Amino acid sequence: MANTKVIKNRINSVRNTQKITNAMYLIASTKLRKAKAELDAVRPFFELFEREIKLIFEKRADLKSEYFYPVTGRKPAESYAYLVITADKGLAGAYNMNVIKAAAEELKIHKKTRLFVVGEYGRQYFNKHHIEIEQSFPYTAQNPTVRRAKDIALRLLAEYDAHRVDEIRIIYSDSSGGGDAKVIVKRLLPFEREDFLGAKKPFSRFTPYEGSAADEYEFIPNASEALAGIIPGYLSGFIYGALIDSFCSEQNARMTAMSSANDNAEGLLSSLQLEYNSVRQAAITQEITEVAAGAKAQKKKRAKEKMKSE
């Protein structure tokens, strides 16, 4: 059994670790609130893009666009681009591996793919497993911004416009519905017309526009070019929302992991304290026993000496 000094050192070590996990929990919660506030601040701007697309299709229901599936004659996609959003570090439970597993499943199904990765964790994983990455965006996943989302959107649009891919998909985590985060695999391009025309579940995470279709609008130079000009902004908004959702999911997962670590530390401290008290009590008992035994021996010795002297 360990002595009191060893147990005391372990208790101090656990308490020091608990301070770190508590600090990480508080940092994660602060980052979570900040990210949600930033998304709420730009939400109205991206709602306008969805509104304009809705208006165009309300006025030109048969409009042809390479960014939307045709009304008839749809062809199955042959080549795909995947945008995979992971974190830069671990200590967030299964957050990263859930995204990686979903990406691996998609890559098994679709062999002709181009992989685009955000986050150091994803970069390291795919490089380690010798999975080719078309482009790894160099900036950190810890600070999602509209500008970075726009850079990603334009890069993906370049692949689509050059007809190097038939379909673009995104894989990310979303915990906006509460509870545990879910891995989302969603098609970015091409869009479904129904996504903007009264679908029960709109494509966008933003609030759908509820305006009137009776208003008259003029499209300059024409509806097709107006739609093409809107798509990059709308796509940037969706990717920015996905980056924020992923970041929030990461912080949620880290908060959960740190809370679990704190609970485990409390349990370990309780167990160590009981062990410490037991060892200390045993030591005290042994000392009392030794003192009592010594006193008894001294008493016997004095009794013998007294008998001899008589």
Side-chain angles (χ1 to χ4, degrees):
M1 180 180 291
N3 59 38
T4 55
K5 183 178 180 181
V6 173
I7 298 174
K8 197 68 176 178
N9 288 338
R10 289 190 63 190
I11 290 175
N12 291 333
S13 176
V14 172
R15 284 176 176 165
N16 289 335
T17 303
Q18 194 176 30
K19 291 178 182 178
I20 296 173
T21 56
N22 276 326
M24 292 182 68
Y25 179 92
L26 294 174
I27 292 170
S29 62
T30 301
K31 288 182 177 180
L32 178 64
R33 288 194 299 271
K34 181 181 177 182
K36 287 183 176 179
E38 290 176 352
L39 180 60
D40 290 339
V42 300
R43 188 185 301 272
F45 176 74
F46 292 114
E47 286 176 358
L48 290 175
F49 286 105
E50 185 173 359
R51 166 184 174 175
E52 297 307 315
I53 295 172
K54 178 181 175 70
L55 287 173
I56 290 174
F57 277 108
E58 284 178 342
K59 307 307 293 183
R60 303 286 191 275
D62 59 344
L63 181 66
K64 293 182 180 179
S65 172
E66 63 179 355
Y67 301 117
F68 286 79
Y69 282 120
V71 177
T72 58
R74 179 188 302 184
K75 295 181 180 180
E78 295 182 357
S79 56
Y80 297 80
Y82 281 93
L83 174 63
V84 182
I85 302 175
T86 63
D88 290 325
K89 54 187 177 182
L91 296 176
Y95 165 79
N96 286 300
M97 283 311 302
N98 288 340
V99 175
I100 294 297
K101 287 178 182 178
E105 289 297 322
E106 290 291 317
L107 294 178
K108 286 180 182 178
I109 298 172
H110 305 294
K111 301 299 182 182
K112 193 175 180 180
T113 61
R114 290 173 179 262
L115 195 61
F116 299 82
V117 180
V118 175
E120 186 63 28
Y121 195 99
R123 287 192 285 269
Q124 295 294 335
Y125 177 88
F126 290 120
N127 287 330
K128 181 179 179 180
H129 290 80
H130 307 291
I131 299 174
E132 184 178 356
I133 299 175
E134 182 69 23
Q135 182 170 344
S136 174
F137 297 99
Y139 38 76
T140 173
Q142 295 295 309
N143 186 25
T145 64
V146 176
R147 180 177 292 277
R148 290 173 177 177
K150 183 179 179 181
D151 291 342
I152 297 172
L154 292 178
R155 179 68 178 87
L156 294 175
L157 275 172
E159 292 291 313
Y160 188 82
D161 291 338
H163 304 289
R164 287 190 286 268
V165 296
D166 300 324
E167 189 172 304
I168 299 174
R169 296 185 179 184
I170 184 171
I171 303 176
Y172 67 101
S173 291
D174 182 16
S175 61
S176 59
D180 296 334
K182 296 188 303 181
V183 177
I184 306 295
V185 180
K186 183 176 281 293
R187 185 186 68 252
L188 287 179
L189 285 175
F191 298 122
E192 293 278 5
R193 295 167 190 265
E194 290 76 12
D195 294 333
F196 301 89
L197 292 174
K200 293 182 179 180
K201 294 182 178 180
F203 174 80
S204 173
R205 63 179 39 77
F206 303 117
T207 305
Y209 172 65
E210 300 295 344
S212 172
D215 299 329
E216 292 297 329
Y217 291 88
E218 182 180 359
F219 302 106
I220 299 174
N222 54 61
S224 295
E225 292 192 30
L227 182 62
I230 293 171
I231 292 301
Y234 181 76
L235 197 63
S236 298
F238 191 95
I239 292 174
Y240 177 64
L243 289 171
I244 292 290
D245 283 342
S246 294
F247 182 69
C248 291
S249 297
E250 177 194 351
Q251 302 311 317
N252 263 333
R254 183 160 292 114
M255 288 169 64
T256 300
M258 294 304 102
S259 178
S260 178
N262 285 334
D263 292 342
N264 291 338
E266 288 293 340
L268 184 57
L269 284 173
S270 178
S271 176
L272 288 172
Q273 192 64 51
L274 287 174
E275 184 179 357
Y276 175 80
N277 292 340
S278 177
V279 171
R280 184 167 177 269
Q281 187 63 46
I284 293 172
T285 301
Q286 183 177 356
E287 289 177 5
I288 293 173
T289 302
E290 290 173 353
V291 170
K296 188 177 181 179
Q298 288 294 327
K299 186 178 180 180
K300 287 183 178 180
K301 182 179 179 182
R302 286 194 296 270
K304 288 181 180 180
E305 291 176 349
K306 184 177 180 181
M307 290 176 63
K308 288 181 180 180
S309 63
E310 291 178 354

